[in-house]
Amino acid sequence: MQRGSDRLSAHRDDEMKHELQGLLRSGHPTRTEEWHDPEPIAEDDPEVAYGPVTPSRAPSLLESLRLELARNLTRGAFPASARELARGLRRGNAPESLVERVEALPHKASYTTVQELAEALTGPPRSRET
């Protein structure tokens, strides 16, 4: 039974089914021109999760920490002390290791940006002031 909305003839439809049989059975492209197939991912390909990749550049500890803090804190959280920021991280269900690092900062210090906080966390350890 032929419907009026078909754009292809029954003969062309059978040809297309035959062309696709190899692909459907094998589970991978069956073209003869290899240049047309997408290249698979190599094991040594660099990760691009942290932004653009440049030669011999991996994300630094400061960049990774700043990204994690920005995911879990809002602009409204600043300026704040380490205690207030730790409470905000806990409310935001931040990783416990991140909360502990923020709690270890001096309590009297005030932080106005995520960058300042990340620099304080990656800098040399300071004595804890209460």
Side-chain angles (χ1 to χ4, degrees):
M1 181 171 154
Q2 182 73 21
R3 292 186 297 195
S5 62
D6 288 342
R7 295 188 321 196
L8 303 173
S9 67
H11 179 67
R12 178 66 183 134
D13 193 34
D14 289 340
E15 282 180 20
M16 290 176 68
K17 284 181 189 175
H18 180 70
E19 290 172 4
L20 284 174
Q21 273 184 345
L23 173 64
L24 296 174
R25 287 186 182 168
S26 67
H28 60 83
T30 56
R31 297 183 184 100
T32 56
E33 302 90 12
E34 290 183 22
W35 61 268
H36 197 17
D37 292 337
E39 188 173 323
I41 297 172
E43 291 179 9
D44 62 342
D45 280 350
E47 286 189 32
V48 291
Y50 299 104
V53 176
T54 56
S56 71
R57 182 189 174 276
S60 68
L61 175 62
L62 177 66
E63 291 171 333
S64 301
L65 189 59
R66 185 178 58 218
L67 177 65
E68 191 65 28
L69 288 166
R71 284 183 186 155
N72 292 289
L73 292 171
T74 63
R75 287 185 190 179
F78 295 98
S81 68
R83 284 183 182 169
E84 293 168 337
L85 292 169
R87 276 193 297 257
L89 288 169
R90 283 194 195 282
R91 279 193 301 266
N93 297 322
E96 190 62 31
S97 60
L98 183 63
V99 175
E100 289 172 359
R101 288 181 73 179
V102 171
E103 286 176 337
L105 290 171
H107 294 297
K108 289 185 180 179
S110 180
Y111 305 96
T112 56
T113 63
V114 171
Q115 179 70 24
E116 273 185 35
L117 182 59
E119 287 172 355
L121 289 170
T122 57
R126 298 181 189 141
S127 63
R128 188 174 184 167
E129 300 172 16
T130 53

